[in-house]
Each structure stands twice: as C-alpha cells, then as structure tokens.
Amino acid sequence: MPFQGSGDVAPAVPANVYVSTFVDRLLGVDDSTYEFTAVVWFYLSWIDPRVKGQLADNAAKLTAANGNSTCALPCQSNQKAIAGGCCDGVWMPYIAFSNLKWLPQDRVVRYGFGANPDSNAVFQWRSVHATYYTPMDLRAFPFDRQQLLIQMEVPQARSGWSGGLVNLIPSTTGNKMFTAKTRGDDVSGWGVVDVRLQPFEYPLCAATMAGVLGPSAAGDPAPVMPEYMWESQQARREPQQCAAAAVAAVELA
C-alpha cells in the first residue's frame, strides 16, 4: 500500500488528516475490464507537535562524531537521510486503497515528508502509479462520461503502529501536477475534466449487514455475521455500536 503508516501513537484522538489529490496523468481506461490506470499525487497534512523534536534527535544521532546510527525510514524518496531527514519513530497514518488492483513493479517511487518550521503542521506526499477497478456506466457509449473511483479507507479502531482514530478530511484537488499538459487527450478519447473528494462514514457492521446473504455457520469460531446479529433488529437499528471505518472517495470524471 502507498501509505503504510509508521509510529506507535497518533498525535491526537482522533487525528485530523487533511487530504489533497491531484491527477498528474491518466494513463489508461479499460471499459472491458472496468479498470483504469493513473499517476495520482496525494498530499496529507496534520498537526503533530512532536515531529520537529523527533527529526532533530534523529539528525543528531546520524551526525554524531562517534555514532553508528542508521536510518530505516528516510523522509525523502532520494534516500538521503542526512540531507532530507530521517523519519524513524515519526507517526504517519495508515491508509488503505480499497479498490486498488495492482502497483506496477517498475513504477517510479516518489514521496516526501516535512514539517513547517513556524508551526506544528506536518505533511506527507506520495506520487502513486496504480491500476484501480471501478464501476462504469456504458449506456451512453460512445458519448459516455465516466466517474472513476479511488477509495481511501482508514479503519477507526486499529491497534498498534497505526495509532488510534483518524479522520480523513477533504482539502483540495487538481487535474495536473508534475507532468506538463500539452494539446490533446491524456488517453485516446479520454480526458480528466473534474476531480472531487467526498468523505464517507459508515459503521463496519452496517456494511456487512448490507451485503451479507445469511448468517455465518453455527460452528464458525470467529463469525463475520453471528446468528444473533442476523436475527437482531437492534443490531440493524444501532449499527454504530460496532467497530467503525471511515472511507474517503476520489471521483474522476
């Protein structure tokens, strides 16, 4: 996954993470397999008063005269931990891309992390070359207009290094970043005309109730849909009592 997360404790509960998304280049749209490939620039920002001190401590260890410290997580994709910073121990959110199909093995990896010197604001960005599967509506073919989905999800009740609760908050979007836009379409017959971010919040058990076709087997030691939940009207009325997840979706038209 592009955003694997790091660190053990989030800076706040919940941690408000602002999301910006720029479609740098649409590389392909396949209406026979309902998938598309694109290079998308994701930018995350949040508040963490600990980061500047953590980066300074890491720099001091790496530059100590008689030290033998190494950096496991450089802050920049150029892997230069002294010039670009070492992010060992810094909290970053885990974000799953729910409809990601695959990441090309020979893709160019670009990412960065930084801290604002005048505030407690921090940011993380990553350029992601990936293929996604998405619903399509071909009823107006060949004059169709498609909304292509990238779904970002953060489980709200995770344990371990991903920290506690995380809120994904839409910030801004764009239809270009690093790649120059010349005359013509990005892909034959297709072009990006709009990019939107929209938050979705739903309880995890409510999603299961909406799609499940029956209760789990009586002997299932860890059932997805226990018999009592399947039969209980209370579970249907009060799904917020279950573990929750937050989903952000990016729509490309």
Side-chain angles (χ1 to χ4, degrees):
M1 284 294 177
F3 293 99
Q4 295 284 358
S6 65
D8 293 324
V9 181
V13 179
N16 292 326
V17 176
Y18 290 81
V19 181
S20 296
T21 305
F22 288 72
V23 179
D24 190 29
R25 185 64 183 254
L26 181 66
L27 299 177
V29 178
D30 192 332
D31 55 14
S32 64
T33 58
Y34 284 42
E35 63 186 43
F36 70 98
T37 302
V39 177
V40 182
W41 188 77
F42 296 93
Y43 179 92
L44 312 177
S45 61
W46 62 94
I47 298 295
D48 192 339
R50 306 168 297 179
V51 167
K52 283 186 285 189
Q54 291 171 317
L55 296 179
D57 290 345
N58 290 341
K61 293 176 182 177
L62 290 174
T63 56
N66 298 320
N68 57 357
S69 295
T70 59
C71 180
L73 183 61
C75 295
Q76 311 296 328
S77 52
N78 61 15
Q79 303 296 302
K80 298 184 182 298
I82 294 179
C86 178
C87 284
D88 286 358
V90 173
W91 181 86
M92 302 180 197
Y94 168 83
I95 298 177
F97 287 71
S98 305
N99 65 320
L100 189 150
K101 184 176 182 180
W102 63 287
L103 296 165
Q105 291 186 349
D106 58 350
R107 69 189 184 279
V108 177
V109 177
R110 298 188 181 97
Y111 68 86
F113 178 91
N116 189 324
D118 300 321
S119 70
N120 292 323
V122 298
F123 60 87
Q124 178 187 13
W125 67 267
R126 184 174 287 267
S127 181
V128 180
H129 175 188
T131 296
Y132 306 86
Y133 55 87
T134 182
M136 292 186 181
D137 185 352
L138 303 178
R139 289 174 294 181
F141 179 85
F143 306 105
D144 48 323
R145 177 181 173 128
Q146 300 297 334
Q147 293 185 344
L148 308 180
L149 179 71
I150 299 177
Q151 183 169 314
M152 305 169 65
E153 181 176 350
V154 177
Q156 293 250 346
R158 294 183 64 88
S159 59
W161 48 259
S162 63
L165 303 179
V166 175
N167 291 331
L168 294 181
I169 303 174
S171 186
T172 190
T173 62
N175 59 5
K176 61 181 178 180
M177 179 51 66
F178 300 111
T179 305
K181 296 292 182 181
T182 57
R183 296 179 62 183
D185 299 331
D186 287 348
V187 179
S188 178
W190 294 97
V192 176
V193 297
D194 192 20
V195 182
R196 296 187 299 273
L197 276 165
Q198 183 175 353
F200 292 91
E201 295 185 4
Y202 63 87
L204 188 58
C205 65
T208 306
M209 290 292 291
V212 71
L213 300 177
S216 300
D220 190 335
V224 172
M225 181 53 59
E227 182 72 30
Y228 77 88
M229 185 178 291
W230 174 255
E231 296 178 349
S232 172
Q233 293 300 319
Q234 182 179 6
R236 296 173 188 268
R237 290 195 305 267
E238 300 180 7
Q240 69 273 13
Q241 294 180 0
C242 306
V247 177
V250 180
E251 293 186 3
L252 315 179

